[in-house]
Amino acid sequence: PACLAQDRFFAMFIALLAVVGATSAPRSSTTSAFSRRGVINAVGSFGMASAFAPAAQAGLFGPFPGEQPADLGVRTDGTLKGCGPSPNCWSTSGDSSHRISPFEYSGSKSAAKADLMAVLSAYPQAGVPLDGGVIDGGGNKLVTDEGNYVYMQFTSKKFGFFDDVEFNFLDGGKVAIRSASRQGDSDLGVNAARLKYIGTQLSAKGGWKTALGI
């Protein structure tokens, strides 16, 4: 009936405004305005994939890379940046609610880094499975490989959200780690799953302890 069609169109229109408004908001308000789950649900809950195909082609549904944080990198003590209040970040530094255990290796630092680079190079560009779906289906890219420091970017298939992932090899057989989403609040468990996958691949090589404690 016409009434139902009008209601559906109105709901779709409101959801589109919410998505566009949230993704165009200033960075300071974006964190509280939307989450990865919220954007996906806004589109999925009304069955809008086909209805909004032209909008998707126009880029209204992504990619949404956000701004690359200006304060990434190694601190003077070898640690990496901690996390803010949002649950879409894990780090070996900072407050206990977002803290993970570092990876540990028993061999030389050079051999351990070679292991990590091999795992990262083999990380599927099509993503890895998670709960019947796929994470990082938008691909990944090595940004920095300098000395003990490695910085990667991972992208979601839906909407093209970017996550920043860092590693720094410390003395004493440990690797500092940080994985964080640039935007939103909830990450649907993506950052934790990614690190666990990388840890599993390292452990398979032998000489690694990769239990994150999460």
Side-chain angles (χ1 to χ4, degrees), residues 2 5-6 8 11-12 57 79 103 105 122 138 142 155 174 176 213:
Q6 289 174 356
R8 184 178 179 83
M12 292 162 61
Q57 292 173 359
T79 61
F103 289 158
Y105 57 92
L142 175 64
T155 309
K174 295 185 179 182

Side-chain angles (χ1 to χ4, degrees), residues 107-151:
S108 68
K109 187 182 293 186
S110 60
K113 187 180 179 187
D115 282 349
L116 176 65
M117 297 309 296
V119 168
L120 295 178
S121 296
Y123 198 99
Q125 291 293 333
V128 297
L130 174 65
D131 296 336
V134 172
I135 65 169
D136 301 328
N140 61 80
K141 179 176 70 171
L142 175 64
V143 180
T144 305
D145 175 10
E146 295 180 354
N148 297 325
Y149 177 72
V150 179
Y151 167 36

Side-chain angles (χ1 to χ4, degrees), residues 11-12 18 21-22 50 57 75 82-84 98 108 137 142 167 188 206:
M12 292 162 61
S50 59
Q57 292 173 359
R75 277 46 184 165
C83 297
H98 298 89
S108 68
L142 175 64
F167 304 90
L188 307 183

Side-chain angles (χ1 to χ4, degrees), residues 163-187:
D163 294 346
D164 299 293
V165 182
E166 302 173 278
F167 304 90
N168 189 49
F169 285 79
L170 307 170
D171 293 331
K174 295 185 179 182
V175 183
I177 312 164
R178 184 177 187 271
S179 183
S181 301
R182 291 184 182 179
Q183 304 181 77
D185 186 59
S186 171
D187 65 350

